[in-house]
Amino acid sequence: MHIAILTFEGYNELDSLIALGVLNRVKTDDWRVTIATPGPRVTSMNGVVIEQMSTLEEACAADAVIVGSGIATREVTEDPAIMNALRGLDPSRQLIAAQCSGALVLARLGLLDDIPACTDLTTKPWVVAAGVEVLNQPFHAKENIATAGGCLASHYLAAWIIARLGGNDAAEGALRYVAPVGEKEEYIERAWRNIAPYLPAPAPALA
């Protein structure tokens, strides 16, 4: 199981790295989480340099993808090489999630047609201009596409992906690991309140 987090120049550390940390709470041999970048390394909005773990092409073949956010997302959407590579994203065969301004990437790829989105307040006008309804909530999903708004909503995307690929118990375990001491039940309850309405209903028990 490969989960790729698309991370571009000027990336927001809270968006890419919190998701990376939560997703890596799943400890199974077939579970792999990577930072996917356009080149060998990228520098964050605050100067943190990270090296490529997978390519954009590999991300397009992953089981799940998170499109991270950053201060240069509009430039990303105007880069033909990057956008052409990302046209390989396909919600019919993979989970696709976007954090904050990552929703603009999905909008420009045509993946949010008739799907409302969550994003940050700075990005909202650009996503609206792309023809997408923006919701005033932290998380939304429809079938295999999810979006989250606000840096500290990134754990919602990670938990949704874990629940979809590894089950609810695995998602709750990951959230419990990272939740603040003394607030774990409250933290998990709030996360499920946002995520659960967008998870597939459990299969009925066999007679």
Side-chain angles (χ1 to χ4, degrees):
M1 207 67 77
H2 178 202
I3 301 96
I5 303 171
L6 301 185
T7 304
F8 305 104
E9 195 68 23
Y11 73 92
N12 185 320
E13 304 94 334
L14 294 175
D15 294 342
S16 289
L17 301 184
I18 288 177
L20 179 75
V22 175
L23 287 162
N24 270 315
R25 293 305 100 208
V26 177
K27 302 297 184 184
T28 59
D29 291 340
D30 65 343
W31 189 270
R32 183 169 69 103
V33 186
T34 65
I35 297 291
T37 63
R41 61 187 57 82
V42 290
T43 302
S44 79
M45 59 193 294
N46 294 306
V48 179
V49 179
I50 54 176
E51 295 190 355
Q52 181 182 71
M53 298 171 68
S54 62
T55 65
L56 300 185
E57 290 75 17
E58 289 172 319
C60 288
D63 299 281
V65 178
I66 294 177
V67 183
S69 184
I71 60 172
T73 304
R74 283 189 295 176
E75 288 81 355
V76 167
T77 63
E78 294 166 1
D79 186 317
I82 291 176
M83 295 302 283
N84 285 338
L86 296 184
R87 295 194 191 284
L89 294 174
D90 184 354
S92 72
R93 58 174 176 78
Q94 60 188 165
L95 301 179
I96 299 175
Q99 176 67 40
C100 289
S101 65
L104 182 61
V105 176
L106 297 192
R108 294 282 177 83
L109 290 170
L111 295 177
L112 294 180
D113 292 348
D114 301 319
I115 299 177
C118 301
T119 190
D120 63 280
L121 298 180
T122 300
T123 306
K124 178 179 177 178
W126 309 330
V127 176
V128 170
V132 176
E133 177 190 0
V134 174
L135 303 172
N136 183 33
Q137 61 191 59
F139 179 84
H140 178 269
K142 182 178 181 182
E143 298 175 349
N144 288 345
I145 294 179
T147 53
C151 301
L152 295 182
S154 55
H155 67 289
Y156 294 156
L157 287 184
W160 176 77
I161 287 174
I162 295 171
R164 291 290 307 271
L165 298 180
N168 291 2
D169 288 346
E172 181 169 335
L175 290 171
R176 187 173 297 279
Y177 187 97
V178 302
V181 171
E183 298 179 350
K184 292 187 181 292
E185 298 307 323
E186 176 187 353
Y187 191 91
I188 292 168
E189 180 183 351
R190 183 172 62 250
W192 281 124
R193 191 164 62 243
N194 284 288
I195 299 166
Y198 304 105
L199 293 173
L206 296 176

